[in-house]
């Protein structure tokens, strides 16, 4: 039998522990944004290397997530969670002690790889060691953790840099992970049950390499291209991307038909809830990733607000998101997946309100003026993301929990990086020509279009969630 039957159930403290593990990689995705000016000043990094500090982490993280899920199925999810958390603590220490910019980039790449080992085990453990209402609540809390972590990262980064603990400056945003991971390891050893697939499959080396190539040829030019001046390699990489995707899909189909277990089984994508849920996660996460990045840059560079104040602008969104996430299971029992549609409409109202506020109030914009739009947008998003996680995983067989979790998290993280690259580039290019206020308004309107697309696509979801 699979781990969810033969192992102890995941208790409250165990759930807290795996959610703590899930929050660390996501916080580190955004915490570094507000520390970049300090890193540049201290290490003389320059724009291209600063982009690599951010992109190096995101690329290794996204590329290795599905492999991390497969390894958890193969060797045990608790074991991989512990290994990933330990590696995350060590690589965070390396980031915090980095003597130069290139050392920091290398440590960030290694930190992203450690995160990719740890994060897929969280959802797979929840799927394999909970059931019924407990699983629904755990997945809702996971969704709340995902959304909150990105916002908390911005706030925490600003506070730590401003506090300059013991003269550590920007290094504190990495060093703070070390005691947290030590505590997490102690808790995990005592509270997280071991689960693994009953029929673990060996690692699909060709599929892993081709998926890595596909993600790299898309994300590397989009995240690094602007700072590097759009050199020839970025266009070559983008041209290679569809070829890599085609080759990956052909290899996976051939392995599936031959009775082997590919990295991303095409039969898994045949599950309607998973396929349609992933389609919604793409625009939702793109918009969110871009929004969190752009709002920080606009408030700090455009209005000259401090890192702490610009981070706190996201607090109403975080509070509303968390409240909606907790209400999600009860609402889904009554209204099914139409909760996602309603959430899209509410989020659209919030983003529209923010766009009007920015357009009318800039440059006299304040955090207080942003509060209503932030709260409404956060409420709408909190009604969508946790429910979509449940939809995507609802029909995934327990023995494929790691693979299913890896595919979903890879989609989400790649979309977050795409959002930062595309909406971020749009904002920065417009800001230099028409000003930050107009640039922020236009970027918000583009995000509004993505939100409306999500709401429309949600009508195709199955009405009930398993």
């Amino acid at each position: 039998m699979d781990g969810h039957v033969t192992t102890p159930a995941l208790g409250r403290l165990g759930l807290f522990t795996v959610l703590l593990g899930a929050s660390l990689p996501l916080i580190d995705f955004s915490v570094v944004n507000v520390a970049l000016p300090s890193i540049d000043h201290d290490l003389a990094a320059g724009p291209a290397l600063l982009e690599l500090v951010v992109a190096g982490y995101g690329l290794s993280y996204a590329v290795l997530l599905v492999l991390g899920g497969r390894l958890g199925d193969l060797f045990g999810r608790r074991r991989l969670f512990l290994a990933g958390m330990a590696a995350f603590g060590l690589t965070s220490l390396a980031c915090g002690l980095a003597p130069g910019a290139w050392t920091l980039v290398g440590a960030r790449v290694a930190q992203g790889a450690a995160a990719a080992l740890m994060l897929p085990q969280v959802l797979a453990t929840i799927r394999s060691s909970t059931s019924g209402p407990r699983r629904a609540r755990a997945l809702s809390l996971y969704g709340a953790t995902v959304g909150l972590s990105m916002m908390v990262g911005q706030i925490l980064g600003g506070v730590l840099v401003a506090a300059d603990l013991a003269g550590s400056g920007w290094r504190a945003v990495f060093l703070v992970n070390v005691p947290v991971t030590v505590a997490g390891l102690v808790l995990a050893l005592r509270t997280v049950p071991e689960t693994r697939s009953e029929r673990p499959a060996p690692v699909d080396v060709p599929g892993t390499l081709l998926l890595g190539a596909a993600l790299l040829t898309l994300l590397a030019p989009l995240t690094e291209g602007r700072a590097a001046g759009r050199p020839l390699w970025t266009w070559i990489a983008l041209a290679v991307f569809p070829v890599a995707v085609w080759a990956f899909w052909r290899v996976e189909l051939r392995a599936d038909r031959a009775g082997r277990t590919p990295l991303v089984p095409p039969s898994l994508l045949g599950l309607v809830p998973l396929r349609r849920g992933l389609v919604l996660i793409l625009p939702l996460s793109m918009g969110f990733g871009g929004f969190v990045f752009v709002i920080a840059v606009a408030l700090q560079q455009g209005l000259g607000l401090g890192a702490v104040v610009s981070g706190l602008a996201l607090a109403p969104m975080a509070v509303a998101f968390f409240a909606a996430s907790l209400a999600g299971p009860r609402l889904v029992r009554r209204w099914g997946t139409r909760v996602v549609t309603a959430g899209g409409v509410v989020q659209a109202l919030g983003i529209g309100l923010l766009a009007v506020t920015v357009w009318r109030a800039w440059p006299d914009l304040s955090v207080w003026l942003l509060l209503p739009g932030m709260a409404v947008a956060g409420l709408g998003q909190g009604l969508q993301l946790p429910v979509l996680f449940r939809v995507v995983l609802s029909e995934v067989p327990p023995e494929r929990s790691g693979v299913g979790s890896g595919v979903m998290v890879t989609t989400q993280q790649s979309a977050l990086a795409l959002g930062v690259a595309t909406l971020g580039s749009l904002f920065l290019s417009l800001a230099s020509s028409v000003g930050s206020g107009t640039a922020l308004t236009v970027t918000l309107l583009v995000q509004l279009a993505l939100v409306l697309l999500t709401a429309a696509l949600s009508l195709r979801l199955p009405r009930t969630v398993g």
Side-chain angles (χ1 to χ4, degrees), residues 76-352:
R77 292 149 191 157
R78 177 176 178 268
R79 182 178 298 176
L80 265 291
F81 180 80
L82 290 167
M85 182 169 278
F88 193 84
L90 290 172
T91 51
S92 296
L93 181 64
C95 289
L97 300 178
W102 279 110
T103 310
L104 179 58
V105 169
R108 283 285 281 173
V109 171
Q111 190 186 34
L117 281 183
M118 177 169 57
L119 189 60
Q121 319 314 327
V122 175
L123 274 173
T125 297
I126 290 172
R127 281 271 304 159
S128 300
S129 55
T130 60
S131 60
R134 291 183 63 252
R135 178 184 294 174
R137 182 168 177 79
L139 288 174
S140 293
L141 287 170
Y142 175 85
T145 300
V146 168
L148 282 172
S149 296
M150 291 282 290
M151 293 179 259
V152 167
Q154 299 270 100
I155 299 168
L156 181 64
V159 170
L160 288 173
V161 172
D164 193 22
L165 300 171
S168 58
W170 60 268
R171 298 179 186 274
V173 305
F174 300 113
L175 295 176
V176 73
N177 290 332
V178 178
V180 176
T181 54
V182 170
L185 286 169
V186 172
L187 285 171
L189 284 167
R190 296 173 61 89
T191 64
V192 177
E194 180 64 281
T195 65
R196 58 165 51 86
S197 175
E198 183 191 24
R199 297 178 295 276
V203 173
D204 173 15
V205 176
T208 301
L209 294 175
L210 285 169
L211 178 62
L215 289 172
L216 280 172
T217 53
L218 175 65
L219 296 177
L222 289 178
T223 54
E224 271 296 294
R226 183 183 56 82
R230 309 290 181 195
L232 179 62
W233 72 263
T234 61
W235 302 108
I236 294 173
L238 288 172
V240 169
F241 167 67
V243 179
V245 170
W246 176 83
F248 169 71
W249 189 246
R250 294 298 302 172
V251 164
E252 300 298 273
L253 273 177
R254 192 177 301 121
D256 214 13
R257 289 168 180 168
R260 301 190 300 272
T261 305
L263 184 69
V264 181
S267 56
L268 198 64
L269 297 179
L271 299 174
V272 172
L274 182 138
R275 187 175 66 249
R276 294 184 180 176
L278 290 179
V279 169
L280 265 73
I281 285 174
L282 271 171
L284 183 63
S285 297
M286 277 185 66
F288 182 57
F291 175 83
V292 172
F293 173 79
V294 166
I295 202 72
V297 175
L299 295 182
Q300 289 182 65
Q301 296 184 7
L303 292 181
L305 300 179
V308 176
V309 176
S310 65
L312 288 175
L314 293 172
M317 178 176 280
V319 171
F321 184 99
F322 187 67
S325 299
L326 294 183
R330 186 171 65 254
L331 295 172
V332 168
R333 282 196 297 271
R334 183 169 182 181
W335 302 107
T337 56
R338 289 299 177 259
V339 170
V340 178
T341 309
V345 173
V346 173
Q347 188 187 6
L349 290 173
I351 297 297

